Amino acid sequence: MVQQDRAIRTRRLILEAAASVFDDRGYDRATIAEVLERAGVTKGALYFHFASKEALALAVLDEHVLDIAVEPQPIKLQEFVDVTQVLSHRLCSDPIQRGAARLAVEQGSNHLDRKRSMISWTQFVEGVLGEARDRGEVLKSVVIRETAELYVGAFAGIQLMSQTLANRADLNRRVTVLHQHALPCIAVPAILAKLDLDPERGEALDAAIKAGALVDAAAP
């Protein structure tokens, strides 16, 4: 068990180092040597977990969807809002999220399957909105798949704009504006009135998630 835990920690360390390099330099200019230097691990340790730079990048793209988990809410659309606000907050400092964001949208090498990130996020949003529809929270006129694609595309553009203008410091506010414009076309009025769109919510939720993770890690 101790050896397994060590392997999990080492893999995460390598992923975070790789994501940081991808965020700074992009996929084409990033090198395995830089990842090794930032992670402080041997080449053998890295190649035990990842066969190539491409495998590293794909793992970062896969991880950034899995990383976002928020507390269940009585209103499913609130969970959706919470996910976007936590993601927005983490894009300011979290290496996995920042590295994945650059990998997903940068123009460059055709050797990396960049569709994976957009497809994964679209499937995630589609699932959340589908469950919200089943609960009666979504207007009957809404086409779930198209709405999910719209949100993912809009978020990608907004985070790029925020990065360019403010190094993402205003991203939570910009995402709140997106929700204020889009949700009236999605949510039934009774649900819309109950949603908390506070742009500060993402930071508070992220702190609660990390506090809970620390408690879980300390448990015997």
Side-chain angles (χ1 to χ4, degrees):
M1 181 64 73
V2 173
Q3 185 174 0
Q4 182 180 11
D5 290 343
R6 185 182 300 117
I8 292 172
R9 288 195 298 270
T10 300
R11 182 182 186 277
R12 180 71 183 194
L13 181 66
I14 294 168
L15 268 184
E16 290 184 350
S20 177
V21 173
F22 291 137
D23 181 36
D24 289 344
R25 300 181 60 78
Y27 179 77
D28 288 337
R29 295 174 60 205
T31 66
I32 291 293
E34 289 174 291
V35 176
L36 291 173
E37 182 179 355
R38 294 199 192 187
V41 300
T42 65
K43 186 178 293 187
L46 186 148
Y47 283 114
F48 175 80
H49 292 282
F50 305 101
S52 63
K53 183 174 79 169
E54 180 182 5
L56 265 173
L58 292 176
V60 170
L61 287 172
D62 288 342
E63 195 75 17
H64 83 130
V65 180
L66 298 174
D67 261 3
I68 302 297
V70 299
E71 289 293 321
Q73 299 290 329
I75 299 175
K76 197 66 181 179
L77 282 179
Q78 183 66 61
E79 286 184 41
F80 171 58
V81 171
D82 291 351
V83 166
T84 63
Q85 291 291 14
V86 170
L87 174 59
S88 299
H89 176 68
R90 289 188 180 177
L91 276 168
C92 293
S93 60
D94 183 272
I96 296 290
Q97 298 303 331
R98 291 177 67 92
R102 176 159 182 175
L103 287 172
V105 300
E106 73 173 347
Q107 302 298 308
S109 173
N110 293 322
H111 298 297
L112 183 64
D113 182 7
R114 303 176 192 277
K115 299 191 297 291
R116 289 172 67 143
S117 178
M118 295 294 183
I119 291 172
S120 295
W121 273 114
T122 299
Q123 290 174 340
F124 175 83
V125 175
E126 188 177 7
V128 174
L129 293 180
E131 188 171 342
R133 177 194 56 198
D134 294 341
R135 294 185 182 187
E137 299 175 7
V138 172
L139 296 168
K140 293 182 179 180
S141 59
V142 172
V143 180
I144 297 298
R145 176 70 179 190
E146 292 179 355
T147 303
E149 290 178 344
L150 176 65
Y151 250 109
V152 172
F155 187 95
I158 286 171
Q159 70 89 14
L160 274 176
M161 186 175 185
S162 177
Q163 180 187 19
T164 300
L165 297 178
N167 196 27
R168 298 195 180 102
D170 63 354
L171 182 54
N172 282 89
R173 179 187 63 79
R174 291 181 182 276
V175 169
T176 292
V177 172
L178 170 62
H179 286 313
Q180 289 170 337
H181 283 75
L183 284 173
C185 300
I186 297 171
V188 299
I191 293 295
L192 182 64
K194 297 177 182 179
L195 296 177
D196 183 355
L197 306 182
D198 184 357
E200 303 297 325
R201 186 173 171 86
E203 182 176 3
L205 288 169
D206 190 37
I209 292 168
K210 289 176 179 176
L214 288 174
V215 171
D216 290 342

